[in-house]
Amino acid sequence: MSGAEERPAQVTVELSGAAEDAGSVFDVLGAVYASDRDGGPAPAGSGGPTVWSGVFDTARPAGGAPGGTPSLKGAVTADVQGGYVAVDQIVTVLSAAFTVTREGAASGDQEKDVSLRLESR
């Protein structure tokens, strides 16, 4: 191992809830970190439960900060998975914008998975 310890910086965020609310959450994260998402979630076609996914790179700041206080119409469930430090950074950004309730967590050797409930402040 080199002197500079490598930390996984990519975090997968999976959201369930209304498309507009998922878009608001991704907008908050996308203002802070580079992502594989270039827009909001696509509208659901089947009318059934839908999950939106995005990968955010905490080692590549987007150079911005979330603007204003985002509003959600309902609760959003967020499953956040990645390296320990990177997941904590994502949770910190979400906690600054929303009321966050931690609903569960699982830890592995190098990664952790956190389940959150997000609501408007």
Side-chain angles (χ1 to χ4, degrees):
M1 182 179 245
S2 68
E5 185 177 322
E6 287 189 38
R7 296 184 189 145
Q10 290 192 338
V11 177
T12 301
V13 178
E14 294 178 344
L15 303 175
S16 59
E20 184 177 329
D21 290 344
S24 294
V25 174
F26 283 138
D27 287 347
V28 166
L29 293 174
V32 180
Y33 298 114
S35 171
D36 66 342
R37 300 189 59 81
D38 56 0
S46 67
T50 303
V51 175
W52 293 275
S53 180
V55 177
F56 294 86
D57 189 346
T58 61
R60 293 181 43 218
T69 304
S71 179
L72 302 175
K73 291 182 180 182
V76 174
T77 299
D79 291 315
V80 182
Q81 180 182 19
Y84 282 85
V85 173
V87 167
D88 289 344
Q89 290 172 327
I90 293 289
V91 171
T92 297
V93 171
L94 293 172
S95 296
F98 305 102
T99 298
V100 175
T101 304
R102 190 176 294 244
E103 294 192 328
S107 299
D109 188 31
Q110 307 216 356
E111 289 190 346
K112 71 177 175 179
D113 188 349
V114 178
S115 181
L116 308 170
R117 179 181 174 93
L118 310 176
E119 297 177 282
S120 291
R121 291 191 176 263

